Amino acid sequence: MSETNLQDWVGRTSTAFETADGERAARLATLLGHDGDPAAPLFPLGHWLHFSEDDVPMSDLGADGHTALGGFMPPVPLPRRMGAGSKLEFHAPILPGQTIERTTTIESITEKTGSTGPLCFVVLRHEITADGKPATTDRHTIVYREATSVPEGSAAKPPRPDSLAPEGWDWTRSVRPNEVMLFRYSALTFNSHRIHYDHPYVTEVEGYPGLVTHGPLTATLLLDAFKSTHPEAAVTGYRFTAKSPLFANEQIHLVGRETEPGVHELQAVAPGGKTAIAATVVTKS
């Protein structure tokens, strides 16, 4: 795929420090429709509000709004990037005001050929501590692919029509992220990827029909729906895989069911019934 040996990047590490921000966490709660409490422990995925990859000078950003490759991240010669999922373990809550340290290791780089052409999967292992004690382990997978051929003009299409919620689940919640929610989530996470806010770019350059709903936002909505229906459950693990993209103003059905004691299957279901995100939640027995 490339004359550069991408495997030279495997094992590289980077460490960053921040202070857990209760105000930022409260804004996430507001985004999710709750009363935000700046003194409350961070949402289990609250570390995503910190350590933004795009927190670099403007000159260090690529054309898509993300940090240009070739520094800490390997110079993958594929221009399109999407999050493929994460596997998280929660060791202890993060409290506002704690010093949080994230050590990131490039765990693996795997090049493959899929139905759409060459792909490259990069797995990052994030070890997060709070005041020196283990808090969260997050193995995050990023996939890079070739650019899509976009017909002259724009690939813009209206949102897909709503469909009925799937049956056979213990609980169901429906949400409809719009442009404002996508903007606010990008602002909270300092995510400058243009597919989430730049309609001409996402439809005319990347070939999507509309603004792409952040995978982490959908994963957050899904876990929040689980926690709302299981308020006493102590979540110790969360694993999710992105299957297909979702777009602004589309209805998403969030569903879940217990498959065995302490293990729950979750899905974010796109219009038409296709699974957009498949997830598993593990709770303390």
Side-chain angles (χ1 to χ4, degrees):
M1 180 187 291
S2 170
E3 295 181 1
T4 301
N5 185 1
L6 299 180
Q7 298 305 312
D8 290 344
W9 268 257
V10 174
R12 293 193 179 195
T13 63
S14 175
T15 300
F17 298 86
E18 284 200 24
T19 299
D21 189 336
E23 293 291 344
R24 207 178 303 175
R27 290 191 184 107
L28 176 63
T30 301
L31 178 69
L32 297 173
H34 310 306
D35 292 330
D37 180 359
L42 271 62
F43 187 76
L45 304 175
H47 64 286
W48 286 349
L49 304 180
H50 301 79
F51 309 113
S52 171
E53 177 191 336
D54 298 331
D55 190 5
V56 298
M58 293 291 292
S59 58
D60 291 341
L61 295 176
D64 62 355
H66 265 316
T67 302
L69 300 177
F72 174 71
M73 291 295 288
V76 178
L78 298 170
R80 302 292 180 251
R81 163 191 167 138
M82 292 293 288
S86 283
K87 181 179 180 181
L88 301 109
E89 300 172 67
F90 305 111
H91 312 297
I94 298 175
L95 305 178
Q98 288 185 312
T99 297
I100 48 177
E101 176 183 349
R102 187 188 73 175
T103 300
T104 298
T105 302
I106 298 179
E107 193 168 85
S108 66
I109 300 173
T110 305
E111 299 176 71
K112 297 181 179 181
T113 300
S115 59
T116 59
L119 302 169
C120 185
F121 294 84
V122 179
V123 178
L124 304 175
R125 185 177 74 250
H126 304 297
E127 298 285 356
I128 296 104
T129 62
D131 285 349
K133 297 180 180 179
T136 304
T137 301
D138 182 354
R139 285 181 172 84
H140 176 56
T141 301
I142 301 168
V143 59
Y144 296 90
R145 59 176 177 82
E146 287 185 318
T148 301
S149 176
V150 182
E152 184 177 352
S154 173
K157 295 179 181 178
R160 290 171 289 185
D162 295 351
S163 55
L164 295 176
E167 298 180 349
W169 298 86
D170 295 342
W171 55 267
T172 301
R173 173 179 291 183
S174 298
V175 295
R176 192 185 304 275
N178 61 15
E179 296 89 346
V180 176
M181 179 179 279
L182 268 59
F183 167 80
R184 297 179 91 181
Y185 189 77
S186 287
L188 269 175
T189 55
F190 207 64
N191 181 340
S192 54
H193 198 182
R194 292 170 66 183
I195 64 173
H196 305 304
Y197 59 86
D198 186 337
H199 194 269
Y201 172 83
V202 75
T203 58
E204 297 172 14
V205 177
E206 297 222 6
Y208 288 108
L211 296 179
V212 179
T213 300
H214 314 66
L217 171 58
T218 305
T220 297
L221 291 165
L222 191 55
L223 184 57
D224 179 63
F226 171 81
K227 287 176 62 62
S228 295
T229 55
H230 302 76
E232 304 302 320
V235 176
T236 59
Y238 184 45
R239 181 173 189 167
F240 68 93
T241 302
K243 300 287 189 179
S244 62
L246 293 160
F247 306 101
N249 299 305
E250 290 188 336
Q251 182 187 59
I252 308 169
H253 294 302
L254 310 173
V255 298
R257 59 191 168 203
E258 188 173 36
T259 55
E260 58 182 276
V263 180
H264 302 257
E265 177 189 3
L266 277 59
Q267 287 188 17
V269 182
K274 188 174 184 178
T275 300
I277 286 184
T280 301
V281 167
V282 179
T283 58
K284 190 175 182 178
S285 57

